[in-house]
Amino acid sequence: MQEIRLRAITANLGCGGPERAIHLSAADAWAGQIVAADVDLLFLQEVPSAEWLSRFELHGFRVFTAGTEAPSFRCRSAVVARSWLEPTPFDVSNAGYHGSYLAAATIRLPSVGQVACFSVHASPSRLRSDDESRWAGSPPPARSGGGRDAGRLWDADYVLATLADHARHGPVLAAGDLNEARRWDLTHPGETWGSEYFEAVAAADLVDCLHLLWGEEIATRGDYQIDHVLASRSLAVHIIEAKVLDHRLDESQHTPSDHRPVEFVIAVQ
C-alpha cells in the first residue's frame, strides 16, 4: 500500500495584536505562497479576519473557525484543510469559554480514521473572574508553578482540559501557540510551570510530538518554544518529521509575525 505524506503547518500570524496592520501585509504574502505550495493542513492563530481566510477556499481548502455562538475576541484561530481530507465542522466543548481562540474540524486519515483537529491559542494574560465564569463544570487542576503566581490557573490549563476531554472519545491533533515552554523553568529558578504542564499533557494521554522528535525545544518565539503539536498516541506514531521554518513569513520589507511557523509531516497508508 502506498504511503501518503500529509504536510501540515502551524503558524501564529501575529495579526491579533497592536501591530496588526503591519503584520497583515506579511500574512497576505505568506498566504499567497501557501496556496501555491504542497500543503494539506494549516493550524492558524491570530488570523486577520474571516474574509482574509476566504482566499484559501478558492484553492481547494475548507476553512473552519469558532462557531458563531462562541465569543469573538481580537485573536482568532482557524483550521484550514484540503478537501481530500474530507474536513467537517467539530463542536468544541466549552466553546463559550474558548471563543475564537480555539477552532476545530475533523479530517479523515487513511489507516487512522476520523481525527479531531484543533488550532489552539492559549492566552498568556492573567485570567479575570469573568473569564473563569464562562467555563462550564469544574475547573482544571492548578499547577503549583512557583513564584508570585504559584497556584494560579492559566488559559493553557483550560485548553489542555478541553483537549483531554475530546481525546477520551477519539484521536486528537492539536497544534498552535500554547504559550508554555519547558525552558521557562531553566530561566526562572525555583519555578516548575513548564515541567508541570507537559507532565499534565502526558497524563492526558497526549504526546508532545515535537519534543518526541527533537529531544529538545527549538525556539519559536524569542528564547522559548511556545508553539507545539500535541496528539493522541494512536496518531503521534504517524508524525514522522518536523522543522521550524524561517521566522520571516515572506521576503517583503514588512515586519512579519514574531513567531516562527512549524511544519510537520503525517505519514499514513
Side-chain angles (χ1 to χ4, degrees):
M1 189 176 296
Q2 184 178 6
E3 183 181 69
I4 299 171
R5 291 194 169 206
L6 182 156
R7 183 181 172 201
I9 294 176
T10 179
N12 182 320
L13 301 178
C15 294
E19 296 184 329
R20 177 185 181 280
I22 297 175
H23 291 170
L24 180 58
S25 176
D28 283 343
W30 183 78
Q33 296 171 11
I34 290 297
V35 296
D38 185 21
V39 177
D40 303 290
L41 184 60
L42 294 167
F43 300 82
L44 304 179
Q45 303 90 47
E46 293 196 38
V47 299
S49 65
E51 292 74 23
W52 183 89
L53 287 165
S54 64
R55 71 190 68 203
F56 292 100
E57 296 176 317
L58 302 175
H59 296 271
F61 289 93
R62 290 196 64 195
V63 173
F64 301 87
T65 56
T68 55
E69 74 286 353
S72 182
F73 303 110
R74 186 170 60 182
C75 292
R76 307 176 185 90
S77 297
V79 174
V80 181
R82 293 281 187 187
S83 297
W84 74 266
L85 291 168
E86 303 179 34
T88 58
F90 185 80
D91 291 331
V92 177
S93 63
N94 261 303
Y97 167 82
H98 296 293
S100 57
Y101 274 85
L102 198 153
T106 62
I107 62 172
R108 182 170 294 279
L109 293 179
S111 72
V112 177
Q114 204 84 352
V115 177
C117 295
F118 298 83
S119 178
V120 299
H121 185 186
S123 171
S125 301
R126 289 179 173 83
L127 295 173
R128 300 168 301 184
S129 58
D130 57 326
D131 295 324
E132 296 173 326
S133 68
R134 297 197 311 273
W135 181 263
S138 301
R143 290 171 278 171
S144 57
R148 61 174 181 162
D149 289 313
R152 179 186 293 273
L153 276 168
W154 295 90
D155 189 33
D157 299 309
Y158 287 93
V159 170
L160 180 56
T162 291
L163 297 179
D165 177 42
H166 288 293
R168 286 190 283 269
H169 305 286
V172 160
L173 174 61
D177 175 9
L178 286 174
N179 274 300
E180 295 287 343
R182 289 176 174 83
R183 190 170 186 273
W184 179 270
D185 301 354
L186 299 178
T187 57
H188 294 75
E191 298 192 15
T192 55
W193 294 101
S195 59
E196 286 187 56
Y197 190 78
F198 289 99
E199 287 168 4
V201 167
D205 210 27
L206 294 171
V207 177
D208 179 1
C209 298
L210 301 183
H211 197 264
L212 179 65
L213 289 170
W214 298 337
E216 62 178 345
E217 288 191 330
I218 299 176
T220 57
R221 183 181 185 275
D223 295 329
Y224 301 100
Q225 182 193 326
I226 62 175
D227 301 88
H228 302 274
V229 177
L230 308 180
S232 299
R233 295 188 183 279
S234 61
L235 178 60
V237 296
H238 295 278
I239 299 177
I240 60 170
E241 57 186 74
K243 61 182 177 181
V244 177
L245 302 178
D246 190 289
H247 73 283
R248 293 193 66 83
L249 297 183
D250 74 328
E251 298 302 324
S252 74
Q253 299 302 308
H254 297 282
T255 303
S257 169
D258 54 0
H259 286 251
R260 299 173 67 190
V262 176
E263 177 183 322
F264 58 101
V265 175
I266 306 171
V268 292
Q269 292 183 329

